[in-house]
Each structure stands twice: as C-alpha cells, then as structure tokens.
Amino acid sequence: MTVTTIFGIGIEDSDIVKIATVIVTASVAIFLFFLNQFFNRAKEKRELITEKTEELFLAAAGYSDKALNTIDYALDNFNALVKYEEKVTEEVLKFHAKNISELFIEISKVQMLLELYFRKYSKSSKYPLTTECNLKQILIDIDSKNLTLINSAQSVVVTTEQKIYQFCSYIAELNQAPFYKKVILKKKSN
C-alpha cells in the first residue's frame, strides 16, 4: 500500500479514488440542483406571464365593452346630458356617472397589468400604450359633452383594444418560444 500526502495528510491510494468519487458525485449533484432550479424558475415565470397575458386580454375586453357601452349611452342621451334639459332625470345622470366610474376601473386594470408585468416591453413597437395613447383621455372625451370628441373616443377604444390583443398574441408567442427564438422575436419587434 502506498501512502500519498495531500495537504500534509497521509492518504492511501485506494482512499484517493473514493474521495475523488465523492467529490465528483457531489459536484454533479450540486450542478443538477442548480440546473433544476433554473428550469423551475423559468417554468414558473412562463406560467405567470401566461396567466397575466390572459388577465390583460380579459381586462382589454372588459375595458372595450364598458367604454363602448358608455359611449353609446352618452350618444343616446347626448342632448339631455349636454343641455341638462328638464327631461334629464337624476337617474340618467347617476347612470352616466356610474358608467364613467366603472370605465375608470377597467382602464386602471389594463394600465396596472401593463405596468406591473409587461413594462420591459414598453420599448417594443408592439407595446399598446404609447405616449399618444392615453386611456384616461377617453374618460375626459366621453364626459366632455362634445359630440366630436365622444365619436373619436369610439375609434380610439376599438384601436386600443386591437393593439392590446395584438400585444397579447405577441407575448403569448414569445412566452412559448425557446430561448434562441425569443431573442430573434424581440429583435424583429424593435
């Protein structure tokens, strides 16, 4: 039996093989642990983005539906709301105010989801909210008692809804793509 000295400790050659085996096994186990953590985190992130993309899609539908209903109501009651004619009941005014309030909540949901979960895409050409697209401006336009602004708000709502749906499709495609394709998709969108 041969004894080798490592760090001032005498170790037999047969023990060196055992120690080397233990070190290699431990290294592989640690590597696999961290690799597993990496893939679990990536999967959890992908699932979260999928969930939030679905929420954004539904919030956009809710926003669009509420906005178009509010605009239709404002147009149907335009003369009464503008002139505050005697036939305008308190009920009509309350209902209009309630619609505006509910629309504000829907707009806030859309903006919150975009800001919290999709801010990193704000430089992308696919990002639905740009500096010229202010969702809260729609509230001002609808409540303005200006027929032209109310009518233009309708087209802004439809356009914004389409942009959000396209953005959701882009995120879904990006979220399902392998890593190397994500880089290519991001470069194409900019």
Side-chain angles (χ1 to χ4, degrees):
M1 266 203 180
T2 315
V3 176
T4 305
T5 304
I6 300 176
F7 301 117
I9 301 172
I11 302 174
E12 293 181 15
D13 287 342
S14 63
D15 289 340
I16 289 176
V17 172
K18 291 177 186 174
I19 291 171
T21 303
V22 168
I23 290 172
V24 168
T25 303
S27 298
V28 168
I30 291 170
F31 173 76
L32 290 176
F33 171 77
F34 285 113
L35 188 64
N36 186 37
Q37 291 300 313
F38 172 78
F39 285 120
N40 281 342
R41 251 192 214 125
K43 179 183 174 195
E44 288 170 3
K45 183 179 176 185
R46 199 169 43 253
E47 288 171 353
L48 176 68
I49 292 297
T50 299
E51 178 185 329
K52 295 306 173 185
T53 303
E54 290 170 0
E55 280 183 42
L56 178 61
F57 190 88
L58 293 173
Y63 146 76
S64 178
D65 185 49
K66 183 48 89 176
L68 293 175
N69 286 340
T70 303
I71 290 168
D72 287 344
Y73 186 79
L75 289 172
D76 289 346
N77 296 287
F78 180 75
N79 287 330
L81 289 168
V82 170
K83 297 176 183 173
Y84 292 103
E85 294 173 356
E86 291 178 16
K87 67 178 185 178
V88 176
T89 63
E90 193 173 310
E91 185 178 311
V92 169
L93 293 173
K94 280 183 181 179
F95 191 74
H96 182 67
K98 180 181 173 235
N99 280 345
I100 294 290
S101 176
E102 289 173 357
L103 179 56
F104 178 78
I105 291 168
E106 295 297 328
I107 288 171
S108 297
K109 282 181 196 175
V110 169
Q111 288 182 321
M112 177 198 67
L113 286 165
L114 285 167
E115 288 295 314
L116 287 177
Y117 299 102
F118 304 104
R119 181 181 291 189
K120 71 180 183 180
Y121 300 104
S122 64
K123 301 278 189 257
S124 167
S125 62
K126 305 269 188 203
Y127 195 71
L129 297 185
T130 57
T131 51
E132 57 276 352
C133 178
N134 179 359
L135 293 181
K136 292 190 174 131
Q137 181 64 41
I138 293 165
L139 290 171
I140 296 165
D141 291 348
I142 293 171
D143 210 28
S144 70
K145 316 276 187 298
N146 180 323
L147 192 57
T148 306
L149 290 176
I150 294 171
N151 282 322
S152 70
Q154 202 164 18
S155 66
V156 171
V157 168
V158 171
T159 303
T160 304
E161 179 187 30
Q162 290 170 347
K163 284 182 179 180
I164 293 172
Y165 289 165
Q166 289 169 352
F167 180 72
C168 288
S169 295
Y170 167 72
I171 294 298
E173 181 182 353
L174 192 63
N175 198 34
Q176 298 303 318
F179 176 74
Y180 65 91
K181 283 189 178 179
K182 287 181 183 180
V183 173
I184 294 168
L185 286 171
K186 281 184 183 177
K187 284 183 181 177
K188 279 184 182 177
S189 75
N190 289 331

